[in-house]
Amino acid sequence: MRTINRKLVRDISNMWGMVFVIALMITCGAATYITFLSTLDSLKETQQSYYQDYYFANIFASLKRAPNHVAIQIREIEGVNRVETRVQSGLNLEVPGFDETVTGMIISLPDEREPILNSLYLREGRLPTPYVDNEIILGDGFAEEHGFTAGDQLKTVINGKEKKLIIVGIGLTPEFIYQGQPGSLSPDLKRFGILWMRRAPLAAAYDMEGAFNNVVLSVTREANTQDVITQLDQILEPHGGLGGIAREDQNSHFFITEELNQLSKTATIIPTIFIAVAAFLLNVVVGRLIRTQREQIGILKAFGYSNQEIGLHYLLMVSVIVIIGLIGGVILGYYLGQELSALYASYYRFPYLNFVINPWDVLAASVISAAAAYSGVFFSVKEAVTFPPAEAMRPEPPKLYHRSLLEKLGAARFLDQPTKMVLRQIGRQRVKIAFGVLGVAFAAALMIVGRMSNDSVKYLIEVDFRQSQPFDLGVSFRESISDHALMEIVRMPGVYYGEAYRGVPVRFTYEHRNHLTAIQGYPQNMKLRKILNTQEQPVEIPQAGLLLTEKLGEILNIETGDTLTVEFLDGSRRTTGIKVTGFINQFIGLNGYMNIEELSKLLPERHVVNGAYLLVNKSYEDEITKELTDSPFVGEIISKQKIIDRFYESTAQTWLIMSLFISLFAGATAFSVVYNNARISLSERSRELASLRVLGFTRGEISYILLGELAVLVLLAIPIGFLLGWALTWFIVWSMQTELYRIPMNISRATYTLAAVIVIFSALLSGLFVRRKLNRLDLIGVLKTRE
Amino acid sequence: MPSLESNVPIFSAKGLTKVYQMGEVQVQALRGIDLEIFSNEIVVLLGASGSGKSTLVNILGGLDTASGGRVTYRDIELTHASEKELTNFRRLSVGFVFQFYNLIPSLTARENVAIVTEIAENPMTPEEALTLVDLGDRMDHFPAQLSGGEQQRIAIARAVAKNPDVLLCDEPTGALDSKTGIVVLKALQKVNQSLGTATVLITHNVVIGGMADRIINLHDGRISNIERNEKKISPDQMTW
Ligand SMILES: Nc1ncnc2c1ncn2[C@@H]1O[C@H](COP(=O)(O)OP(=O)(O)OP(=O)(O)O)[C@@H](O)[C@H]1O
Ligand SMILES: [Mg+2]
C-alpha cells in the first residue's frame, strides 16, 4: 500500500467518531429518501397491478331496480368493455363479544362463474357453492380484526331477517382497498364488513330475482368515461338510477388516491428537506474536517505532492465516509421502506405487496450525498492548497481575540477567566458558530416537520370535530322521512335536544367543470353542527343562496355571486341555478350548504329530512344507539366520540412509528453536528487546553471552556430551529393541500418541547463523548507535536 | 570529489522582498535580497530572530511567493512559475527540513520518510535514510512517541532521502544536544559531498558556520555581509 493511502486508513481510524457521525448524517438523509420513495413506488406498483390483475371497474352505478335485460343495453354503449350487474345491499352484522354496531355490505357473486370485474382474491377457503343460500366469502380486513376463518359462522340481519351464514372463504377485491363506513375519518375494519354471496340466493333475499340494483363497467382505452356515464345514466334513469360514478369518485379509489397523493408529496418534500439538510451539514462538516488537516496538506505540498494528488487523497477519504453512510442508508431505507409499505398495505387492504425499490432513487440519494460531500472537499482543499505551504506549516500565530461584548459593557469584573475565554472564542469564530447553530437548528426543525402530520391532524380533529360539531350522535335515515320523526327521537330518554337536516345528492356544474357531491340543508340557527368560514369563525347559513367549501370553490373556479347549476340526483332530477353566497372552511369533504327550507322549496317533497344531530346524556349514549339501531328507519348512527377514538386508535401506530423514526433522525443529526463541532474545536484547541491543564486547571474547568461554547451554540440554535421548523411546516402545508385534505397549520407545544428536548439530549450525549476524549487528553503528546 | 562551488549558480535572487500584511499592519520580512547559490556548496544563514531567514528559505524552496524581485532555480523562474512547475521543482529537486519538524502525526517514522521517497525519482530506501540519522531502531514509532530531537532527525532523513539537488534546512540542530547535532550535521555534509547537493542551513549557532563554504548574515530583511570560509572543518571538530 502506498504510504499516502496508509495515512488515509490511519486518519479514518483515528477519527472514527467523526467519520461515524458524518456517515450517520448521510445514512439518515439517504434512508429517509429511500424509505419514502420506495414506499410510494411500492404502493403505486401494487395498486396498479392489483387493479389490472383483478379487473377493477371504471364506472360504478347504483339504482333502485332494473330487470336483467337492461344489461344488454348497457353493453351496447360505445366504449364499454365489460359489464357486471350485481345485487348489493347494506346489512347489520353481529359479532359475539363485540358490543358496538357493526354494519356491512353484501354483494352478489355471479352464480356459476367468477366475477369478470372487481374479481375476488381468495386468501383462504373456496368460493360459495352456487345456489346455496348460506355460504359467503368474508372480507379479509374484517375477518382479521375479529379472528374469523373459513368454516366459522356469522350472524347477520338480511333484509330485516336474522340469518346465520357460513364463512367458506376469506377474500378481498380492488373495490374495497379502503374499507370504512361513510362518515368515518379512517378505514374501519372492525365495524364494517364486506360479504359476498352467490347471486341467486342473495336476489331471493332482497326480492331482486331477475333484476339488479348495482352495475359495474369497464371501458376501452379510447372511451370517454364521462360520455359513457351520461349514456348509462339515461339508460338507468327510468330504473331509479342514482348517477354513474367514475373510478375517480369511487370511495375506495378516491381515498387511496388521496392517500397516495398525500404520500407522494410527503415522499418528495420530507426526504428532500432531510437530504438537503444532510447535504448542507455534510458540506460544512467535511469542510471543517479538511481545514483541520491544513498543516498536513502543507507538508505534502512542500514535498512535491501535486494539488491533484492531494485533492484525490481527500476525495478518497470522504468517499470512504460517503460509501459507509450510503451503504447504511440503503440498507436502512430498504428495511424501513418495507416496514412502512407493509404498514400502509395492512391499513388498506392489498392482497400482496410488490415491494419495489427504484434504482434511480438510490442513485439520486447517492448522487446528492456524494455531491454535497465532494463540494465540501473541493472548496476546502482548494482553499488549503492555495494557501502557501510555508504559512500552513508555521505554528499558527496566536489568534487575534477581542474583548467580548459582555465585557465591553462592563461585566468583565463579574466574569472569571474561563468564562471570558468562552465568550471571546465565540466572538472570534462567529462564522463557524453560526454554521454550527444553523446545523443544530435544522435538527430541531426536522423534528418539528416530522411531527407535523401528528399535530395537524390532532388539530383538525379538535377543531373540525369537537368545536364545530357539538353533537354527540348523528343519525342518518334510510330514506327521506317526515320531519315528525325528529320529535319522536327527542322524546327518547337521555336525549336532550335534536336538530334535523336534509341531504341531497347533486351534481354541481359551473362552466365546463362539474363535481358530484351533496347539498346539506340545515335549519336556521343550527346549534349542533357549526359551519366555520375561511377565518374559522362560525357562520350562519344564509336565508338564500349556497355556501361552498373553499376547496370546492377552487375546483369549480367559482366566486361569490356567481350562479352554480345544480342538478338534483334524488330522483326528481331537477336542475336549477343557485347563487353562491360565500365560502366556508372544512378540512374534509367538499359539500354545499344551504337553508333547509330553501332547499325543500326546490324539491318535490317539502317536509322530509334525511338525518338528525342529537345532544344526549353521555351515560345513555349506548342505550340510545341500540334503540335507534333497531328502528327500521335508521340507517347509520355516528358517535362523535367513537369516530374520534377510532381515528386515534387506527392512526396511533402509524404516528408513533413515524414520530419515532423522525425523532431518531433529527436526534442523530443534532448529535452529529454538536459532536463534530466539539471534536474540531478540540483538535484546534488541544494545545491551548493542554497548556491550561499544565498550568493547573482541572478537567472540569477545561471542559467548561470547550463545552461552554457548545452550550451557547445549542441554546441559540433552539429558538432558531423553532422558527425554521415553523417555516418548513408552513411550506409543506402550503404545498401539500389536496382535494380531500387541507391540513391546518398547527404546531403543538408538545412538539416544540420534544424538539428542544431531543436537541438538548443529543447535545449532552455528544458533549459526554467529547468530555471523555478531553479526559484522555495526552498532555505531553499534545504539547510536543502539532496536529 | 567536487572542490569548491562551480561557476554556474543554481539559485539566483535579485531584489527579493517580502511583505506580510497583518490586517492594517505591514511586516517587511525581506527588504531586497540579492543572492546566488551554487551547486555543491554549503551555505550557512545566520541572523537574529525575525531577521527573515525562514522567509528567505521558504521562498527559495517554492513554498512561499515573494512580494517583489525575482528568484530563479537553474532555468526555472520561481517567481513566475506555474503551480505545476513549482510542484515538480519541489518533488524532484528540493529537500526541506522545517524549523518545527512538521511530521505527519498519523504516520510512523519510516512512513514519514516513505511518503516522500514514493514520489521521488532516485531515492534511498526509508531505512537507509533513517540509519543515516541513527534512528534505525525507532522506525516504527509515531512522532508522538519520539523526543523533539528524534523528530528533528526524522525530518532530516525525510529531506535527504530523495537525494535532492538542494537541501533547505531551517535550524536542523536547534532541538538537538551537541552530540546528536554533530551526527546530523555529518549526515548533511556526507550528502553534500557524495551527491554535490547544494545545502542552505539556517542556524543561530555560529560554530556551525565552520562547515560552510559561505556564511551569509541577515539583518532586518537584508544581507548584512557574506563571508567565505576558507578553512572548512568537519562537524567532528566542532564543539558547543
Ligand atoms: N505569516 C506571517 N505573517 C506575518 N508576519 C510574518 C509571517 N511570517 C513571518 N512573519 C514576520 O516576518 C519576519 C521574518 O520572519 P522569519 O520567520 O523569516 O524570521 P526568522 O529569521 O526565521 O526568525 P527565527 O530565527 O525566530 O525563526 C518576522 O518579523 C515575522 O514576525
Ligand atoms: Mg525561522
Side-chain angles (χ1 to χ4, degrees):
Chain A
M1 199 195 294
R2 290 191 57 188
T3 309
I4 188 150
N5 294 330
R6 197 167 298 166
K7 165 175 165 351
L8 187 103
V9 173
R10 265 205 216 124
D11 281 348
I12 286 175
S13 65
N14 283 339
M15 310 184 294
W16 73 266
M18 251 193 287
V19 167
F20 174 77
V21 293
I22 297 175
L24 191 66
M25 253 179 230
I26 300 175
T27 297
C28 289
T32 328
Y33 198 83
I34 293 169
T35 303
F36 276 99
L37 289 177
S38 69
T39 300
L40 181 67
D41 287 341
S42 303
L43 289 176
K44 278 193 167 153
E45 160 71 28
T46 304
Q47 184 199 28
Q48 281 295 324
S49 76
Y50 188 28
Y51 278 6
Q52 202 153 29
D53 297 351
Y54 289 82
Y55 306 103
F56 185 47
N58 298 104
I59 298 170
F60 303 75
S62 284
L63 54 145
K64 278 238 150 60
R65 180 196 173 100
N68 282 344
H69 64 76
V70 173
I72 300 169
Q73 270 174 280
I74 297 173
R75 217 165 276 136
E76 276 163 4
I77 300 173
E78 199 182 307
V80 169
N81 193 4
R82 297 179 177 208
V83 176
E84 184 84 84
T85 60
R86 315 190 294 194
V87 172
Q88 73 175 44
S89 173
L91 80 172
N92 287 337
L93 306 174
E94 271 175 46
V95 181
F98 188 72
D99 289 342
E100 297 176 47
T101 323
V102 180
T103 60
M105 177 168 279
I106 188 160
I107 301 169
S108 68
L109 290 174
D111 283 316
E112 291 177 337
R113 58 178 173 86
E114 293 196 22
I116 53 171
L117 288 174
N118 303 337
S119 303
L120 262 175
Y121 175 95
L122 262 189
R123 243 198 228 300
E124 62 172 278
R126 56 170 173 85
L127 287 173
T129 318
Y131 308 108
V132 169
D133 74 346
N134 66 346
E135 292 188 356
I136 52 144
I137 304 277
L138 185 63
D140 83 321
F142 187 75
E144 195 179 287
E145 285 294 322
H146 293 289
F148 287 116
T149 56
D152 288 347
Q153 288 199 339
L154 183 65
K155 262 173 83 183
T156 61
V157 182
I158 291 185
N159 206 9
K161 289 186 220 95
E162 278 201 17
K163 189 165 175 74
K164 269 210 180 101
L165 299 173
I166 298 166
I167 301 164
V168 296
I170 306 288
L172 56 163
T173 77
E175 200 178 347
F176 297 103
I177 296 174
Y178 168 91
Q179 294 178 1
Q181 284 166 314
S184 63
L185 297 170
S186 49
D188 189 350
L189 304 174
K190 256 206 173 94
R191 297 162 194 87
F192 190 74
I194 317 281
L195 285 66
W196 288 270
M197 188 186 253
R198 288 292 185 184
R199 170 89 169 253
L202 188 61
Y206 284 98
D207 305 321
M208 278 282 171
E209 284 113 331
F212 64 94
N213 66 0
N214 183 272
V215 59
V216 292
L217 285 68
S218 67
V219 296
T220 55
R221 223 173 266 283
E222 310 80 47
N224 178 325
T225 310
Q226 212 49 51
D227 289 349
V228 175
I229 290 178
T230 312
Q231 293 182 57
L232 178 69
D233 285 355
Q234 277 164 11
I235 294 170
L236 296 179
E237 174 101 57
H239 308 288
L242 292 173
I245 291 172
R247 185 190 275 188
E248 288 72 50
D249 299 317
Q250 195 259 350
N251 203 30
S252 162
H253 178 84
F254 186 64
F255 261 90
I256 286 290
T257 309
E258 276 298 315
E259 183 76 40
L260 289 182
N261 280 345
Q262 194 85 5
L263 182 64
S264 95
K265 288 183 173 167
T266 317
T268 349
I269 296 166
I270 297 208
T272 305
I273 289 175
F274 259 84
I275 209 159
V277 170
F280 165 75
L281 296 177
L282 196 60
N283 185 302
V284 172
V285 163
V286 165
R288 288 196 74 177
L289 179 72
I290 286 173
R291 248 162 268 140
T292 61
Q293 297 243 333
R294 201 169 83 169
E295 183 198 335
Q296 301 197 17
I297 292 175
I299 301 171
L300 292 175
K301 267 197 86 175
F303 284 102
Y305 278 86
S306 68
N307 292 353
Q308 289 90 315
E309 283 169 308
I310 295 169
L312 198 71
H313 174 66
Y314 287 100
L315 219 58
L316 221 63
M317 176 185 284
V318 171
S319 297
V320 173
I321 305 179
V322 168
I323 288 168
I324 296 173
L326 279 178
I327 290 176
V330 172
I331 292 175
L332 194 64
Y334 185 80
Y335 170 76
L336 290 174
Q338 269 174 320
E339 291 293 306
L340 193 64
S341 320
L343 196 71
Y344 272 101
S346 71
Y347 191 62
Y348 297 104
R349 301 315 295 186
F350 286 107
Y352 48 76
L353 178 69
N354 289 346
F355 184 72
V356 285
I357 188 158
N358 188 339
W360 288 109
D361 295 339
V362 175
L363 193 72
S366 312
V367 167
I368 295 170
S369 315
Y374 293 148
S375 67
V377 174
F378 180 77
F379 291 111
S380 355
V381 169
K382 191 163 173 212
E383 187 193 302
V385 295
T386 46
F387 207 64
E391 230 159 296
M393 283 184 300
R394 190 177 264 287
E396 273 189 67
K399 294 161 201 140
L400 191 59
Y401 284 88
H402 295 283
R403 275 167 222 277
S404 63
L405 188 64
L406 223 56
E407 292 170 76
K408 284 184 198 153
L409 292 177
R413 279 184 296 149
F414 309 107
L415 301 173
D416 55 7
Q417 297 311 320
T419 304
K420 279 185 200 161
M421 288 179 72
V422 170
L423 292 175
R424 289 177 194 180
Q425 176 75 6
I426 292 169
R428 202 182 67 81
Q429 300 205 312
R430 273 175 231 156
V431 177
K432 267 187 214 168
I433 301 263
F435 274 118
V437 167
L438 205 57
V440 177
F442 265 127
L446 289 184
M447 190 67 228
I448 290 169
V449 167
R451 294 246 318 164
M452 197 193 103
S453 52
N454 197 333
D455 280 352
S456 302
V457 176
K458 260 192 187 146
Y459 180 78
L460 181 150
I461 292 217
E462 295 307 320
V463 171
D464 198 39
F465 259 70
R466 280 201 207 287
Q467 286 175 29
S468 76
Q469 311 204 9
F471 71 88
D472 294 315
L473 289 178
V475 183
S476 68
F477 305 130
R478 276 191 199 287
E479 284 160 25
S480 305
I481 57 171
S482 158
D483 50 10
H484 290 299
L486 181 64
M487 291 189 227
E488 280 172 40
I489 292 175
V490 173
R491 243 177 261 141
M492 286 166 63
V495 178
Y496 296 138
Y497 175 68
E499 282 170 343
Y501 64 88
R502 179 170 194 177
V504 196
V506 292
R507 189 195 311 276
F508 287 142
T509 309
Y510 186 67
E511 290 168 352
H512 59 279
R513 297 169 292 275
N514 62 61
H515 200 84
L516 216 60
T517 174
I519 292 183
Q520 306 293 341
Y522 285 166
Q524 195 91 49
N525 296 324
M526 185 152 193
K527 292 190 185 60
L528 296 186
R529 201 175 179 304
K530 295 246 168 61
I531 292 172
L532 305 180
N533 67 11
T534 42
Q535 276 78 50
E536 291 187 16
Q537 297 304 311
V539 284
E540 281 302 324
I541 302 275
Q543 274 290 354
L546 189 64
L547 294 178
L548 293 183
T549 55
E550 199 182 7
K551 199 77 211 187
L552 184 56
E554 277 166 33
I555 291 172
L556 294 168
N557 194 9
I558 195 168
E559 282 167 27
T560 306
D562 292 339
T563 301
L564 189 59
T565 307
V566 180
E567 184 186 351
F568 292 102
L569 302 175
D570 66 330
S572 76
R573 296 272 152 178
R574 289 186 188 181
T575 300
T576 181
I578 306 179
K579 200 174 253 182
V580 175
T581 56
F583 292 97
I584 59 157
N585 187 15
Q586 196 182 28
F587 301 129
I588 296 173
L590 307 162
N591 282 309
Y593 294 89
M594 64 189 290
N595 184 295
I596 190 167
E597 318 257 312
E598 285 300 306
L599 179 63
S600 294
K601 279 183 205 159
L602 299 171
L603 294 164
E605 295 168 294
R606 284 287 172 91
H607 298 283
V608 298
V609 294
N610 293 82
Y613 291 112
L614 306 175
L615 209 58
V616 304
N617 182 334
K618 292 264 176 349
S619 48
Y620 284 90
E621 188 177 313
D622 286 345
E623 242 170 89
I624 296 168
T625 307
K626 217 175 179 72
E627 201 166 326
L628 284 173
T629 311
D630 293 340
S631 152
F633 301 113
V634 173
E636 276 142 18
I637 302 166
I638 54 173
S639 152
K640 188 178 64 180
Q641 191 53 46
K642 282 197 179 120
I643 286 184
I644 293 173
D645 292 347
R646 277 172 220 160
F647 182 76
Y648 283 135
E649 185 186 305
S650 72
T651 47
Q653 197 197 2
T654 320
W655 283 355
L656 194 72
I657 291 173
M658 287 283 226
S659 245
L660 213 67
F661 172 79
I662 291 180
S663 307
L664 223 66
F665 281 10
T669 306
F671 177 83
S672 303
V673 174
V674 176
Y675 182 82
N676 259 291
N677 258 294
R679 266 302 274 117
I680 291 171
S681 294
L682 178 60
S683 74
E684 285 168 352
R685 304 180 68 191
S686 52
R687 289 196 133 231
E688 180 185 347
L689 297 175
S691 313
L692 287 174
R693 287 277 286 128
V694 173
L695 293 178
F697 277 75
T698 64
R699 283 176 182 165
E701 282 160 340
I702 62 163
S703 301
Y704 171 68
I705 292 171
L706 187 70
L707 300 178
E709 175 190 328
L710 292 171
V712 172
L713 185 150
V714 168
L715 291 180
L716 279 176
I718 287 173
I720 295 174
F722 287 175
L723 265 171
L724 269 176
W726 186 90
L728 285 178
T729 307
W730 182 88
F731 172 74
I732 294 171
V733 165
W734 173 77
S735 58
M736 283 224 309
Q737 42 185 315
T738 68
E739 201 172 306
L740 189 65
Y741 292 109
R742 158 159 297 186
I743 303 165
M745 170 81 198
N746 174 57
I747 300 170
S748 70
R749 221 173 281 168
T751 295
Y752 283 125
T753 314
L754 193 69
V757 167
I758 294 267
V759 165
I760 291 172
F761 177 77
S762 316
L764 283 179
L765 197 68
S766 52
L768 215 68
F769 277 99
V770 174
R771 171 79 206 253
R772 262 189 31 195
K773 264 216 135 49
L774 212 51
N775 285 349
R776 288 194 310 238
L777 194 62
D778 173 7
L779 297 185
I780 298 158
V782 166
L783 293 175
K784 206 164 60 176
T785 60
R786 300 188 316 113
E787 263 188 69
Chain B
M1 279 271 278
S3 51
L4 277 172
E5 70 263 28
S6 63
N7 296 328
V8 202
I10 52 170
F11 278 112
S12 88
K14 266 244 152 340
L16 212 56
T17 59
K18 177 74 187 178
V19 182
Y20 288 109
Q21 192 75 39
M22 296 239 325
E24 283 133 48
V25 191
Q26 285 196 345
V27 180
Q28 272 269 331
L30 298 178
R31 302 168 186 267
I33 300 275
D34 298 327
L35 176 70
E36 289 185 330
I37 291 168
F38 300 88
S39 67
N40 301 336
E41 73 167 338
I42 296 178
V43 173
V44 164
L45 261 183
L46 288 171
S49 181
S51 57
K53 306 182 294 293
S54 299
T55 305
L56 175 60
V57 162
N58 287 339
I59 293 172
L60 291 179
L63 293 184
D64 211 344
T65 46
S67 311
R70 44 180 292 201
V71 205
T72 53
Y73 170 77
R74 296 194 198 271
D75 45 7
I76 310 166
E77 172 146 9
L78 296 179
T79 23
H80 293 111
S82 69
E83 177 64 37
K84 201 168 160 214
E85 286 170 314
L86 277 180
T87 301
N88 243 337
F89 162 61
R90 293 194 298 256
R91 187 177 192 131
L92 304 176
S93 313
V94 199
F96 286 102
V97 178
F98 301 107
Q99 187 169 4
F100 304 102
Y101 330 145
N102 296 89
L103 300 176
I104 295 177
S106 58
L107 296 179
T108 61
R110 188 205 308 266
E111 289 160 352
N112 260 290
V113 179
I115 199 162
V116 173
T117 56
E118 277 169 6
I119 57 165
E121 259 179 356
N122 179 30
M124 315 177 195
T125 63
E127 291 75 14
E128 282 174 301
L130 286 165
T131 313
L132 208 64
V133 293
D134 253 355
L135 273 177
D137 50 342
R138 304 296 299 274
M139 288 197 280
D140 293 318
H141 288 86
F142 286 94
Q145 296 166 319
L146 298 168
S147 75
E150 285 162 342
Q151 290 181 53
Q152 182 70 298
R153 276 140 74 194
I154 295 169
I156 290 164
R158 180 172 66 177
V160 300
K162 67 162 92 161
N163 288 321
D165 289 345
V166 191
L167 256 176
L168 303 172
C169 310
D170 199 342
E171 298 191 38
T173 58
L176 308 181
D177 62 279
S178 63
K179 194 165 149 262
T180 349
I182 286 164
V183 171
V184 164
L185 292 176
K186 272 171 71 187
L188 292 176
Q189 195 179 48
K190 196 163 122 200
V191 171
N192 167 265
Q193 282 170 357
S194 56
L195 301 166
T197 308
T199 306
V200 178
L201 219 158
I202 295 176
T203 180
H204 285 168
N205 187 345
V206 190
V207 179
I208 295 175
M211 67 184 278
D213 293 299
R214 288 189 296 156
I215 298 154
I216 299 179
N217 279 291
L218 236 57
H219 179 73
D220 197 15
R222 288 195 184 84
I223 293 176
S224 58
N225 85 350
I226 302 181
E227 60 185 278
R228 190 168 293 275
N229 179 15
E230 303 297 351
K231 304 175 286 202
K232 264 175 79 173
I233 52 168
S234 157
D236 284 333
Q237 296 161 265
M238 297 175 190
T239 46
W240 67 85

